[in-house]
Amino acid sequence: FPVTIMVEELDLWMIVRPGPYINAEVSGGGLPEWLLSNPEVVPRCRKNGNHTNSPLFLEMVEEWWRSVFPFFVNAPNLLWVQIENEYATQNMEPDYMQALVAMAKRLGATCPVSYNDLYGYGSFSDVVDLYALDHYPFTDLEEDWKSNAAQLLAQTDCLEAQVKSIVPQCPLHIAESQAGWFTTWKQMPYAQVLRNLGAEAFRIISKSLLAQGVTIFNHYHACGGTNWGYLGSTDTITSYDFAAMVGETGDLRPHFLEALQLNNFLEAFP
């Protein structure tokens, strides 16, 4: 598989997200339209917010995974595999996540299997090997976040106490740390999102997370892009610039330099 070979040749580590649902503001969260149009399938084993077992959906997930796992599962530079994305049901039944973890192991995954929790409540931390959470303090960019920063960062400032008390067996892991934000039709352009957040938001969030003891973090996202055709979710515009560190056109933003300084600091003090 060219991508996995390229990553290894560049002496990089690799984290793979084979789905079945990835979100990322793409259409159907990555689930194909033909699957969503099949009335016999319950996508993600969830209907109206409730867990609904769907053997047919799991069969189709396994068919997909069987076709892609051989490309990466034995790669020497594979760190872990992330399954699903921000999954929740009314009663947080573990059945679906347990089925996915068992499937990944059955298909040869010997590396840790991870999952990212939207809420930071330890959801499914007893099912996966490596628990992670998302962290987006500033999402209402119509308002001046600086005037309300203390309240918006309240969860950030108690992250260690909150998460480690629930998931003491895992390192603090932020699968998605805010490096920008998406915009929707008829809302502010990305240039304004970038101005409103500024490099200050990135700096405060990143350093606050490090102060909380976070040792694994991923900035979502590093590079902006374009969702051509029908790839993008109807929630977002075709541009997926995201006010990211590297813009959709390849331009370097001020928070790219913040990230560079941060990485240099971490490298200097391992």
Side-chain angles (χ1 to χ4, degrees):
F1 195 51
V3 173
T4 56
I5 294 172
M6 186 187 303
V7 170
E8 186 176 352
E9 288 177 346
L10 292 172
D11 197 28
L12 297 174
W13 296 102
M14 179 171 61
I15 301 164
V16 179
R17 301 175 64 211
Y21 181 86
I22 62 169
N23 194 5
E25 283 74 56
V26 298
S27 179
L31 299 175
E33 291 183 9
W34 61 263
L35 177 67
L36 299 176
S37 63
N38 187 339
E40 297 180 9
V41 173
V42 180
R44 308 175 78 196
C45 296
R46 187 178 71 177
K47 189 172 184 178
N48 299 325
N50 296 306
H51 173 259
T52 304
N53 189 37
S54 181
L56 184 56
F57 176 71
L58 291 174
E59 286 177 19
M60 293 180 174
V61 171
E62 181 157 359
E63 183 179 352
W64 161 244
W65 279 10
R66 282 188 181 278
S67 69
V68 297
F69 264 55
F71 292 126
F72 61 78
V73 74
N74 294 315
N77 55 337
L78 176 64
L79 287 178
W80 62 81
V81 174
Q82 180 186 311
I83 56 171
E84 256 294 343
N85 184 83
E86 302 170 351
Y87 179 80
T89 57
Q90 296 283 3
N91 297 313
M92 300 302 289
E93 295 89 348
D95 308 54
Y96 175 53
M97 298 298 291
Q98 288 173 337
L100 292 180
V101 171
M103 189 186 300
K105 304 285 188 182
R106 188 168 65 250
L107 295 178
T110 57
C111 62
V113 175
S114 77
Y115 161 76
N116 64 311
D117 181 9
L118 176 62
Y119 305 105
Y121 295 152
S123 305
F124 310 113
S125 59
D126 57 344
V127 176
V128 297
D129 303 310
L130 181 61
Y131 171 80
L133 64 149
D134 295 350
H135 194 66
Y136 294 97
F138 310 132
T139 57
D140 184 2
L141 298 181
E142 300 289 347
E143 302 292 332
D144 178 16
W145 62 265
K146 296 176 186 178
S147 64
N148 197 28
Q151 182 176 343
L152 294 172
L153 289 165
Q155 186 180 12
T156 311
D157 292 337
C158 66
L159 192 69
E160 183 177 23
Q162 174 187 325
V163 178
K164 291 299 284 185
S165 65
I166 306 171
V167 195
Q169 75 276 16
C170 287
L172 280 174
H173 175 190
I174 307 296
E176 296 182 25
S177 174
Q178 185 170 14
W181 192 242
F182 66 89
T183 190
T184 61
W185 301 101
K186 296 185 178 181
Q187 287 195 338
M188 66 174 63
Y190 276 119
Q192 187 176 345
V193 174
L194 186 62
R195 286 195 300 271
N196 287 8
L197 280 173
E200 297 90 344
F202 180 90
R203 183 189 311 126
I204 292 171
I205 295 170
S206 299
K207 291 185 176 179
S208 295
L209 291 176
L210 288 174
Q212 286 295 307
V214 171
T215 53
I216 306 173
F217 63 91
N218 165 62
H219 289 121
Y220 193 87
H221 49 74
C223 300
T226 307
N227 288 329
W228 301 106
Y230 295 100
L231 176 62
S233 163
T234 54
D235 292 335
T236 59
I237 61 177
T238 303
S239 170
Y240 199 48
D241 181 275
F242 210 80
M245 292 180 280
V246 180
E248 183 179 12
T249 58
D251 54 311
L252 303 182
R253 271 68 183 274
H255 51 319
F256 172 85
L257 299 177
E258 290 284 346
L260 188 61
Q261 289 181 343
L262 185 62
N263 284 327
N264 289 338
F265 172 79
L266 294 174
E267 187 176 7
F269 297 94

